[in-house]
Amino acid sequence: DQQVKQNSPSLSVQEGRISILNCDYTNSMFDYFLWYKKYPAEGPTFLISISSIKDKNEDGRFTVFLNKSAKHLSLHIVPSQPGDSAVYFCAASARGGGGYQKVTFGTGTKLQVIP
Amino acid sequence: DGGITQSPKYLFRKEGQNVTLSCEQNLNHDAMYWYRQDPGQGLRLIYYSQIVNDFQKGDIAEGYSVSREKKESFPLTVTSAQKNPTAFYLCASQQSSYNSPLHFGNGTRLTVT
């Protein structure tokens, strides 16, 4: 039961253009959403997050959009740079039993930015 | 320089042996997590701990055990009962406040032959 889905395993974009990574979720209890960037053989690095009370959050070149009615979020990277080439994980969290934050990850999208 | 340290980076074991993966954090975070990454499956939660001397099973806890005797440390033991132990293991920590991101270590690649 994949509650967080990233349907595109890979994406190629020209340097300077916009990268759009998509994520869908099924659990309506999710109320906090995150994007992580991961290089091979390293741990994921937190990029940006959004609470369910917002529909957009920006941080420099990165913007996350949340469409609660469609249960869809996206990460926009503008402009894309070769250093952005990595695997991007979408994650969503809901308050679990005992109050802890259960974070569920998608399967990742490998972004390649072509110089 | 605060962070999460996982050691070793690569670990090789024979089938049937237990092995313990180390995770230490100096971020003063209360919560710690263990995830497993397999190709095409994202990150799956093995165990988590919200406080010292307390831990809970995640989605795939079978064949694993943990301890949380100190706030800074959350070692994971992969037992011989784990049927597919070869994987990339990631430890994470989190501030106790809700809606705070997980911070990850750089992982341990375990290969069991």
Side-chain angles (χ1 to χ4, degrees):
Chain A
D1 179 24
Q2 192 70 31
Q3 295 187 51
V4 178
K5 301 177 185 178
Q6 294 178 256
N7 292 319
S8 299
S10 62
L11 175 67
S12 289
V13 172
Q14 289 287 335
E15 181 179 3
R17 307 294 289 267
I18 183 171
S19 294
I20 300 176
L21 295 96
N22 293 303
C23 179
D24 297 295
Y25 62 95
T26 58
N27 188 344
S28 58
M29 299 300 292
F30 288 145
D31 61 1
Y32 181 57
F33 303 88
L34 313 94
W35 284 95
Y36 283 84
K37 175 181 179 179
K38 186 182 181 299
Y39 294 115
E42 293 185 9
T45 303
F46 170 69
L47 266 181
I48 191 169
S49 63
I50 187 167
S51 165
S52 60
I53 62 174
K54 293 185 174 182
D55 54 19
K56 176 183 174 182
N57 189 26
E58 270 182 277
D59 185 1
R61 296 185 298 114
F62 302 92
T63 303
V64 56
F65 295 92
L66 175 63
N67 182 334
K68 289 185 289 293
S69 60
K71 293 191 175 67
H72 177 83
L73 70 156
S74 61
L75 175 69
H76 292 207
I77 306 173
V78 184
S80 300
Q81 299 173 353
D84 296 329
S85 298
V87 176
Y88 289 79
F89 286 97
C90 168
S93 75
R95 198 176 288 277
Y100 97 101
Q101 189 172 338
K102 180 178 171 65
V103 182
T104 302
F105 285 82
T107 53
T109 296
K110 184 175 183 179
L111 173 65
Q112 181 184 21
V113 180
I114 303 165
Chain B
D1 203 12
I4 301 174
T5 301
Q6 291 188 243
S7 61
K9 189 157 183 69
Y10 300 96
L11 193 52
F12 298 87
R13 280 294 182 271
K14 294 289 187 184
E15 194 174 321
Q17 294 179 333
N18 292 354
V19 59
T20 298
L21 282 61
S22 169
C23 178
E24 303 279 331
Q25 56 102 357
N26 60 6
L27 298 168
N28 200 33
H29 287 170
D30 286 314
M32 295 187 74
Y33 301 78
W34 274 104
Y35 284 87
R36 167 181 172 143
Q37 185 189 11
D38 295 283
Q41 294 199 47
L43 280 66
R44 293 183 291 167
L45 181 64
I46 304 172
Y47 266 97
Y48 65 96
S49 168
Q50 292 179 266
I51 198 167
V52 174
N53 292 323
D54 184 60
F55 48 83
Q56 305 295 330
K57 293 181 179 180
D59 300 320
I60 55 165
E62 186 175 349
Y64 298 98
S65 65
V66 293
S67 63
R68 186 86 187 277
E69 297 176 2
K70 299 186 298 182
K71 187 175 184 177
E72 303 81 16
S73 179
F74 191 41
L76 173 75
T77 296
V78 184
T79 75
S80 56
Q82 167 51 231
K83 293 177 181 170
N84 296 296
T86 294
F88 189 54
Y89 290 88
L90 287 158
C91 178
S93 71
Q94 182 191 34
Q95 283 183 326
S96 57
S97 58
Y98 191 57
N99 283 1
S100 59
L102 300 180
H103 296 266
F104 284 88
N106 275 331
T108 292
R109 167 72 62 183
L110 172 65
T111 302
V112 177
T113 58

